[in-house]
Amino acid sequence: MQTPGIHHVSSIAAHPQRNLDFYGPLLGLRPVKLTVNFDLPETYHLYYGDLAGSPGTILTMFPWPNARRGRPGAGQIAATGFAIAPESLGYWRDRLRGQGVGIEVEGPTRRFDEEVLRFTDHDGLVNELVAREGTRPTQSWESGPVPPEHAIAGFSGVTLHSRQPEATARVLTELLGFEPAGEEAGRQRFVADRQALGAVVDLAPAPDVSGTEGTGTVHHVAFRARDDAEQAEWRERVAAAGLEVTPVRDRQYFRSIYFREPGGVLFEIATDQPGFATDETVEQLGSHLKLPPWLETRRPAIERGLLPITLPSGARIPA
């Protein structure tokens, strides 16, 4: 078995409004779902992606205003990469550097024959724009703030800092089906389906210090399962590899299983189905606060506890 690649990446932010302003109007990702953390419903869970929130484009954020700042280090996802067309590199360099205080931009630098712009958001989350040949958005947000020809297509991949890189490499290759694709300056590259978004995972030399969870760190990366039946097969494979794996959890727009690989990084395997257009049309995605059925009866209390935010459309949440 081989996963096609990344389904989504979930990170921890601080203030939800600042996060929305950064990843929506600046990066041009469409807010495709506004909901709450199902395990901590007093906080938001923000989803961004392409027009429809296609697997391979989904960035999710847990904005926890009162959480402590995390410490980057071993056992974490060190950077989230987004794929852009090579001819868009100059556009993005100018766009990011024109934002002023609060955004650090490095590069472009060359890595595995690709140009990479590296930048951080206001919480310290490390992002990269990777100029990758053949990159084109499949479902562009045509009315978004970034011209479609320069829009982020989805994920290029992620960079891991593993406490046990050899063991992590075995999980990627022997369990998830990634293939080794070279090494450069101590960075090992692994590739899944070369035609899919988010098909690259890099293992980079890790710092001596272990990372701690908090704002400004990535919580987990999710890999794709096409449907429930395939996810069930993955669960059996993970358990057979001697790794502790959770039961299936219903995340409303996909179903999830989680396990921590030996290097300390939390992995998820999420189903492509049913997608985000189950409780909103594609045209309406991200325009209302959506709750799962088991939380709907608590809506008034949940809304009272949430910080008010303004969506890119100008709508206010809670209404």
Side-chain angles (χ1 to χ4, degrees):
M1 290 179 70
Q2 182 188 60
T3 176
I6 294 169
H7 181 279
H8 68 266
V9 176
S10 293
S11 297
I12 304 172
H15 197 283
Q17 186 66 63
R18 189 164 62 176
N19 191 265
L20 273 166
D21 293 344
F22 187 92
Y23 289 94
L26 176 58
L27 289 195
L29 303 179
R30 185 187 186 192
V32 293
K33 193 64 61 176
L34 177 65
T35 184
V36 296
N37 186 315
F38 292 174
D39 301 316
L40 296 168
E42 65 273 13
T43 61
Y44 286 109
H45 193 173
L46 309 176
Y47 290 82
Y48 306 89
D50 64 3
L51 179 69
S54 307
T57 76
I58 307 160
L59 179 71
T60 101
M61 290 284 174
F62 304 122
W64 296 339
N66 299 317
R68 68 179 184 180
R69 186 70 174 258
R71 181 180 66 193
Q76 289 185 338
I77 296 157
T80 302
F82 299 95
I84 58 171
E87 56 269 26
S88 297
L89 193 66
Y91 169 89
W92 279 104
R93 181 187 57 224
D94 295 343
R95 184 176 179 87
L96 292 172
R97 288 180 176 167
Q99 297 305 304
V101 178
I103 301 174
E104 299 176 11
V105 184
E106 301 175 11
T109 57
R110 198 151 186 83
R111 181 194 301 158
F112 289 105
D113 295 325
E114 296 174 327
E115 297 292 327
V116 180
L117 274 175
R118 184 181 176 93
F119 61 99
T120 59
D121 71 7
H122 297 90
D123 292 313
L125 284 164
V126 178
N127 298 292
E128 296 177 334
L129 292 176
V130 179
R132 181 158 294 168
E133 293 291 342
T135 294
R136 290 292 184 277
T138 55
Q139 296 198 69
S140 294
W141 184 23
E142 297 285 343
S143 61
V146 174
E149 65 270 21
H150 297 306
I152 289 170
F155 294 118
S156 60
V158 292
T159 299
L160 309 184
H161 280 164
S162 171
R163 297 191 188 104
Q164 299 182 45
E166 291 183 3
T168 302
R170 286 194 297 273
V171 169
L172 291 171
T173 56
E174 297 174 12
L175 181 59
L176 296 176
F178 283 78
E179 298 177 357
E183 185 171 347
E184 183 179 284
R187 177 185 289 261
Q188 302 174 72
R189 174 153 290 187
F190 301 86
V191 178
D193 182 348
R194 294 178 183 269
Q195 303 303 312
L197 290 168
V200 172
V201 174
D202 283 356
L203 274 179
D208 292 335
V209 64
S210 288
T212 58
E213 186 177 283
T215 60
T217 64
V218 181
H219 190 267
H220 66 268
V221 57
F223 298 102
R224 292 174 59 188
R226 294 171 181 83
D227 52 32
D228 292 335
E230 185 173 285
Q231 185 185 66
E233 291 185 58
W234 280 118
R235 190 172 187 280
E236 290 180 4
R237 286 173 60 89
V238 173
L243 299 172
E244 186 174 347
V245 58
T246 68
V248 176
R249 295 177 180 170
D250 185 0
R251 299 310 189 194
Q252 191 76 358
Y253 311 108
F254 47 87
R255 282 164 288 280
S256 303
I257 57 174
Y258 301 83
F259 65 97
R260 198 170 293 277
E261 56 83 29
V265 181
L266 183 61
F267 283 177
E268 174 183 347
I269 298 178
T271 58
D272 286 355
Q273 301 169 356
F276 292 98
T278 56
D279 53 5
E280 294 176 294
T281 65
V282 170
E283 293 74 22
Q284 294 175 327
L285 287 177
S287 59
H288 302 89
L289 179 66
K290 306 304 293 186
L291 300 178
W294 60 89
L295 291 177
E296 191 60 54
T297 57
R298 296 170 54 188
R299 177 178 286 273
I302 288 172
E303 289 187 344
R304 285 194 298 271
L306 294 172
L307 289 174
I309 55 175
T310 302
L311 301 179
S313 64
R316 292 280 289 171
I317 301 293

